[in-house]
Amino acid sequence: MRNLLLYLRFDGTAYHGWQVQKNSVTVQQTLQDALETILRQRPPVTGCSRTDAGVHARSYACNFHTEHTIPSENLVRALNACLPGDIAVLSCREVPSSFHARYSALEKEYLYQIWNAPVRDPFQRGRMLHVPCPLDDAAMDKAARYFLGRHDFASFRAAGSSVTDTVRTISCSQVRREKEQVFFRVRGNGFLYNMVRIMVGTLLYTAQGKLQPVDIPAVIDSLDRAAAGPTAPAHGLYLNRILYDEAT
Amino acid sequence: MRNLLLYLRFDGTAYHGWQVQKNSVTVQQTLQDALETILRQRPPVTGCSRTDAGVHARSYACNFHTEHTIPSENLVRALNACLPGDIAVLSCREVPSSFHARYSALEKEYLYQIWNAPVRDPFQRGRMLHVPCPLDDAAMDKAARYFLGRHDFASFRAAGSSVTDTVRTISCSQVRREKEQVFFRVRGNGFLYNMVRIMVGTLLYTAQGKLQPVDIPAVIDSLDRAAAGPTAPAHGLYLNRILYDEAT
């Protein structure tokens, strides 16, 4: 039995996230449909992460088991011919049978993109959050640094989420500006439901003076969702990459 | 009577070009609808150029005459609130009454964008031409230089086009690569119908060895559409900027 690891890139605008749902088009279902067309089998595909509706991925990992002997390069070409233009398969390779796209992941990296200019950019529509008023990206970067390290991020998860262990370790958290574009890059060993989007909403509060960067530790320590900022829209969020052990 | 010059940026994917047409949605019509909503008048708007269906604009100039006293900054805000997300008004200012967006233009600059990688990029869909095989961008650049200067470009206009004067002067013509992206930038005092797209089709012939860069002068001199390459797709083309006399 082969275990195949695929890397995808997708524009999430038209999808209700990764995971198969009744009555909604998802990336997982679209991929499984394409695999069925090619392999005449419908192996369940394991994704590295659930993603929300409208969230994008620059590099999304998933794996599935199959007896099929199709060479990996041929599968990439066939999938790209079958899939719609907003999903692309970047690569495919065989991995050890124990590999699991979600449980084997060491870290995930997200990118949140903001278009910070008085007028929207039609080419960034659905791809970046448009914020017309000037943002203090230096304050945002200062605030972002407080997310680094091991913390209980209970303040940064969607209300009603049922996960009991809310401690996560963040290894990269920074804000950079390139002209009108402001990027938040965050990497960690795991993320709670809506955690990155709530981080962004909170950073936007510091950019607008509603919070000071030095207030972030108190927001974290409160373990209270109400102490953090609002959940930023999905369409600025990208799963940027996923890190596995080199052995896989 | 005020003469107002607007600069627009638009994603042309959903439009049948600039110019009003029966039974098709165009940028001009969409803009005139928005102006009518705001000004309670429907002044005819003069564009700097016709654009084909699917062609984009980073900076498109147009002007109209009105007695309305709305301040320019307010008109920009009101238009951006009325227009769909794929069109944005970048600026508005008053110009002399003699100014005409098309006839006053000294030069136009187009950009053609190619995504040159084995796998398509979902984020460039409808925004760049995807060419999977490796392109010799050095050959393309060498070929592009032969377009510079004053030439009769009859070989580079759509068959059946009726313009009689086919002499144009090209002041910039170059190809640059940035990783997987290949850009053709061309500036001139005017362009024939489909001229940039036929130039790109011809440059792609040189990138694939179907023509040599040194063959370009003969293609130009032939004054024969059949000697040039095919018309490249519209969706990689951007009207990049338009140059007017500083006095306007």
Side-chain angles (χ1 to χ4, degrees):
Chain A
M1 197 74 149
R2 300 162 75 203
N3 187 6
L4 295 178
L5 166 61
L6 297 178
Y7 281 97
L8 313 179
R9 178 172 294 182
F10 59 83
D11 175 337
T13 307
Y15 298 95
H16 280 255
W18 163 260
Q19 187 139 318
V20 168
Q21 286 179 30
K22 271 189 188 164
N23 308 321
S24 296
V25 180
T26 66
V27 178
Q28 185 185 29
Q29 177 207 316
T30 306
L31 178 65
Q32 290 182 168
D33 288 350
L35 282 172
E36 189 172 10
T37 305
I38 298 161
L39 307 177
R40 306 282 162 204
Q41 305 165 352
R42 197 180 173 87
V45 178
T46 304
C48 61
S49 168
R50 286 181 165 215
T51 59
D52 288 338
V55 170
H56 314 294
R58 291 202 190 285
S59 184
Y60 185 98
C62 58
N63 74 296
F64 66 96
H65 297 264
T66 181
E67 303 279 9
H68 206 289
T69 58
I70 184 169
S72 297
E73 319 83 72
N74 297 12
L75 183 60
V76 171
R77 269 196 299 273
L79 280 170
N80 283 324
C82 274
L83 287 166
D86 50 9
I87 303 178
V89 177
L90 306 177
S91 65
C92 171
R93 64 188 173 89
E94 216 166 321
V95 285
S97 62
S98 62
F99 177 89
H100 184 285
R102 185 166 161 209
Y103 299 134
S104 303
L106 301 178
E107 286 195 300
K108 283 177 203 167
E109 183 177 287
Y110 285 93
L111 205 61
Y112 197 94
Q113 304 195 345
I114 298 167
W115 178 252
N116 185 33
V119 175
R120 66 175 169 261
D121 183 347
F123 300 109
Q124 304 302 355
R125 170 173 111 270
R127 307 273 176 82
M128 292 196 183
L129 175 66
H130 178 216
V131 178
C133 61
L135 288 176
D136 181 349
D137 51 285
M140 290 173 77
D141 187 50
K142 211 168 158 189
R145 304 302 169 126
Y146 289 105
F147 294 139
L148 287 168
R150 190 167 179 271
H151 303 285
D152 186 332
F153 283 101
S155 304
F156 293 86
R157 65 163 171 175
S161 159
S162 61
V163 176
T164 49
D165 178 12
T166 51
V167 174
R168 298 290 184 275
T169 300
I170 301 299
S171 58
C172 168
S173 177
Q174 55 179 227
V175 172
R176 290 281 173 270
R177 176 184 287 274
E178 285 174 26
K179 295 181 186 168
E180 294 95 340
Q181 303 182 13
V182 176
F183 301 92
F184 170 51
R185 183 186 301 272
V186 62
R187 192 163 65 237
N189 65 349
F191 291 87
L192 303 166
Y193 186 52
N194 279 354
M195 182 166 149
V196 182
R197 292 168 55 190
I198 299 169
M199 284 172 152
V200 172
T202 307
L203 293 177
L204 287 171
Y205 265 15
T206 66
Q208 295 157 347
K210 292 183 189 174
L211 275 176
Q212 297 302 313
V214 294
D215 295 336
I216 300 295
V219 172
I220 297 174
D221 292 345
S222 72
L223 308 180
D224 177 8
R225 173 67 190 88
T231 305
H235 68 265
L237 185 60
Y238 294 74
L239 179 58
N240 199 43
R241 59 180 181 143
I242 182 130
L243 289 92
Y244 295 109
D245 204 297
E246 276 185 40
T248 55
Chain B
M1 196 75 149
R2 300 162 76 201
N3 186 7
L4 295 178
L5 165 62
L6 298 178
Y7 280 97
L8 313 180
R9 178 172 294 181
F10 59 83
D11 176 338
T13 308
Y15 299 95
H16 281 255
W18 162 260
Q19 188 138 319
V20 167
Q21 287 179 27
K22 268 189 190 168
N23 305 322
S24 296
V25 180
T26 65
V27 179
Q28 186 187 29
Q29 176 206 316
T30 306
L31 178 64
Q32 289 182 167
D33 287 350
L35 282 172
E36 188 172 9
T37 304
I38 297 161
L39 307 178
R40 306 285 164 199
Q41 308 164 349
R42 199 179 170 88
V45 178
T46 304
C48 61
S49 168
R50 284 180 167 217
T51 60
D52 288 337
V55 170
H56 314 294
R58 291 202 191 286
S59 184
Y60 185 97
C62 56
N63 74 295
F64 66 95
H65 296 263
T66 181
E67 303 279 11
H68 206 290
T69 57
I70 184 170
S72 296
E73 321 82 73
N74 297 12
L75 183 60
V76 170
R77 268 197 299 274
L79 281 170
N80 283 324
C82 275
L83 287 165
D86 50 8
I87 303 178
V89 177
L90 305 177
S91 66
C92 171
R93 63 189 173 89
E94 213 165 325
V95 286
S97 62
S98 62
F99 177 88
H100 185 285
R102 186 166 160 211
Y103 300 134
S104 303
L106 301 177
E107 285 194 303
K108 285 177 202 169
E109 182 176 285
Y110 285 92
L111 204 61
Y112 196 94
Q113 304 196 346
I114 297 168
W115 177 250
N116 185 34
V119 176
R120 65 174 169 262
D121 183 347
F123 299 110
Q124 304 302 354
R125 172 173 110 268
R127 306 275 175 82
M128 293 197 183
L129 174 67
H130 177 215
V131 178
C133 61
L135 288 176
D136 181 349
D137 51 283
M140 289 173 77
D141 186 50
K142 210 169 158 188
R145 304 302 168 126
Y146 289 105
F147 295 140
L148 287 168
R150 190 167 181 271
H151 302 285
D152 186 332
F153 283 101
S155 305
F156 294 86
R157 66 161 170 176
S161 160
S162 61
V163 176
T164 49
D165 178 12
T166 51
V167 174
R168 297 291 184 273
T169 300
I170 301 299
S171 59
C172 168
S173 176
Q174 57 179 226
V175 172
R176 289 281 172 272
R177 176 184 288 275
E178 286 175 22
K179 294 181 186 169
E180 294 95 340
Q181 302 183 12
V182 175
F183 302 92
F184 170 50
R185 185 186 300 271
V186 62
R187 194 164 63 235
N189 66 349
F191 291 88
L192 303 167
Y193 187 52
N194 279 354
M195 180 164 150
V196 181
R197 291 167 58 190
I198 299 169
M199 284 173 152
V200 172
T202 308
L203 294 177
L204 287 172
Y205 265 15
T206 68
Q208 296 158 347
K210 293 183 189 174
L211 276 176
Q212 297 302 314
V214 294
D215 295 335
I216 299 295
V219 172
I220 296 174
D221 292 344
S222 73
L223 307 182
D224 176 11
R225 172 69 188 87
T231 306
H235 69 265
L237 185 61
Y238 295 73
L239 179 59
N240 199 43
R241 58 180 181 141
I242 181 129
L243 289 90
Y244 294 109
D245 204 300
E246 275 185 45
T248 54

